[in-house]
Amino acid sequence: MKKIVVIHYGEIAIKGENRIYFERQLIKNIKRVLSKTEYIEIQRLRGRIIIFLTEAASEESLAIRLGNIFGIANFSFGVGVETDLQVMKETAWELIQPMAFESFSVNTRRAQKEFELNSMQLNREVGGYIQDRCKKRVDLTNPEATVHIELTERGAFLFTRKLPGLRGMPVGVSERAVSLLSSGIDSPVASHMMMKRGVHLVYAHFHSQPYTSKASQDNTEKLVELLTKLQYYSKVYFVPFIDIQKEIMTKAPAPFRVLLYRRYMIRLSERIAGIERCRALVTGENVAQVASQTLSNIRVVGEVTSLPILRPLAGFDKDEIVQRARTIGTYDISIAPYEDCCTLFIPDKPATKAHSDRLEAAEKLLEMDDLLDEAMQRAEMKIFRSGE
Ligand code: ATP
Ligand code: MG
């Protein structure tokens, strides 16, 4: 009898070669959070991944780590035995016996059809064996306890409880993107959503030190530390933005300032994307959340790059975003007091329907080339790791 974890993933759409790629990335991500003393081997079997555990492995601690991996739909701790009817009966009984239940069911899935009994027959045989011992009722629709049996080419896997995973796609299967991470509530949630689709993120944070304290950078670091648990390795570019802001503030019309800040952030992020071979940008922008987030403004901000800008929060209400931020644990970090680089020098009335011509005209008056190069040269890159 071997201690195992059975891992199921969702997304039936993954077929053919994509599936192998998906499974390999998932196994790679799983290995990153396991220590060598915890497992003997990891096997990829039709539609599921099996981890063979060592005696030393602790289920409780593993459950937390596996619960933080994108791409897992659910996972179960159980045992692997040979595909032999008597052995399966006894094992099923051993697993279910310590549970408190009045009704139960046996649920068999066959990934390998060679066993002499089909799923229904095996359910009945094993169910009958358990019933003889405990005299409890079989209930197929709403049982209090279930023994799952999965027959595979590597033997039978039995378990009683499925723990929910994070779902989504394994980080790393969907190329890379630069996420513009302020230390506000929205952008960490946007980042989380894109990682959930398998995108590996490189972060860009723009700061106004020494005009603001280091708090926004410190907060951003805390956020990245937390988000790195989901992708194991993150690079963050801390880009000094104050000189660019000053140039805008002194030479551009007040209503355009916020949009101009954003356009230069996008341009710098595009440069980072070039260095890091990223295929898209991610922001926490949302339609109509604040007066400046109109479709016209979203358009003029996006115009300065040819990279697609992913805005996963575009259609959410603020309370939905806050709810998500709480669930993923970024909310408390995001609400810590700090001065955002954009709260500095923010005009009272930003333009709500800006036109590209007018922004381009305003940009013609700015001397930005050297300032942009300098910002990139002075940017500090930091690496965060987790899971080792
Ligand atoms: P957030 O809650 O993420 O700060 P927000 O609701 O404050 O967003 P804006 O201030 O309009 O909205 O910013 C829109 C997006 O621009 C942010 O979600 C983020 O992706 C990006 N952004 C804004 N400020 C910065 C910054 N200082 N560094 C990096 N990205 C930023
Ligand atoms: Mg903000």
Side-chain angles (χ1 to χ4, degrees), residues 81-104:
V81 296
E82 60 190 290
T83 316
D84 171 277
L85 184 59
Q86 193 55 30
V87 173
M88 287 190 277
K89 284 176 176 174
E90 285 162 18
T91 309
W93 171 240
E94 265 175 52
L95 287 181
I96 204 169
Q97 190 190 11
M99 297 173 74
F101 64 97
E102 287 308 316
S103 61
F104 76 98

Side-chain angles (χ1 to χ4, degrees), residues 94-318:
E94 265 175 52
L95 287 181
I96 204 169
Q97 190 190 11
M99 297 173 74
F101 64 97
E102 287 308 316
S103 61
F104 76 98
S105 74
V106 179
N107 182 348
T108 300
R109 276 166 67 177
R110 295 195 308 168
Q112 194 252 39
K113 312 276 182 196
E114 272 150 43
F115 190 60
E116 66 259 26
L117 302 180
N118 68 23
S119 302
M120 290 286 278
Q121 291 164 329
L122 188 58
N123 288 345
R124 237 176 266 134
E125 283 286 333
V126 176
Y129 183 87
I130 293 174
Q131 209 172 19
D132 284 348
R133 266 156 193 74
C134 64
K135 311 290 178 221
K136 298 285 161 75
R137 185 161 55 80
V138 172
D139 180 344
L140 300 180
T141 48
N142 197 17
E144 288 174 12
T146 299
V147 183
H148 298 270
I149 304 177
E150 300 197 346
L151 301 183
T152 74
E153 68 266 33
R154 280 290 307 262
F157 301 117
L158 289 85
F159 53 90
T160 53
R161 205 156 59 98
K162 288 188 182 177
L163 301 168
L166 282 184
R167 312 193 76 89
M169 307 291 272
V171 175
V173 297
S174 305
E175 304 182 89
R176 290 148 67 85
V178 174
S179 180
L180 284 76
L181 191 67
S182 70
S183 53
I185 295 170
D186 299 347
S187 39
V189 176
S191 302
H192 189 271
M193 288 178 73
M194 292 326 301
M195 280 191 280
K196 184 169 186 179
R197 298 312 301 161
V199 180
H200 182 99
L201 299 177
V202 172
Y203 296 99
H205 177 75
F206 301 91
H207 66 78
S208 315
Q209 292 162 37
Y211 280 70
T212 55
S213 71
K214 210 166 158 283
S216 90
Q217 180 166 340
D218 292 343
N219 268 6
T220 304
E221 291 196 16
K222 283 186 201 147
L223 288 167
V224 173
E225 225 169 83
L226 196 148
L227 294 169
T228 299
K229 290 203 166 66
L230 301 158
Q231 73 170 24
Y232 322 110
Y233 173 91
S234 310
K235 279 186 183 176
V236 195
Y237 285 79
F238 293 100
V239 186
F241 201 61
I242 189 69
D243 294 336
I244 293 168
Q245 273 181 293
K246 279 186 184 165
E247 177 73 5
I248 293 170
M249 198 191 57
T250 49
K251 297 189 187 160
F256 291 165
R257 278 182 205 158
V258 179
L259 292 171
L260 292 172
Y261 297 157
R262 293 280 179 270
R263 278 163 68 106
Y264 287 104
M265 284 185 190
I266 295 287
R267 289 181 172 110
L268 289 166
S269 302
E270 188 182 65
R271 292 197 190 189
I272 295 171
I275 298 167
E276 296 291 340
R277 297 190 317 279
C278 295
R279 306 288 174 241
L281 306 180
V282 178
T283 73
E285 284 168 304
N286 173 271
V287 176
Q289 186 186 97
V290 291
S292 63
Q293 288 179 343
T294 61
L295 293 184
S296 300
N297 286 358
I298 284 178
R299 176 178 176 198
V300 294
V301 169
E303 243 166 29
V304 301
T305 179
S306 59
L307 292 174
I309 300 180
L310 307 174
R311 303 176 180 91
L313 305 185
F316 283 129
D317 288 345
K318 189 71 192 186

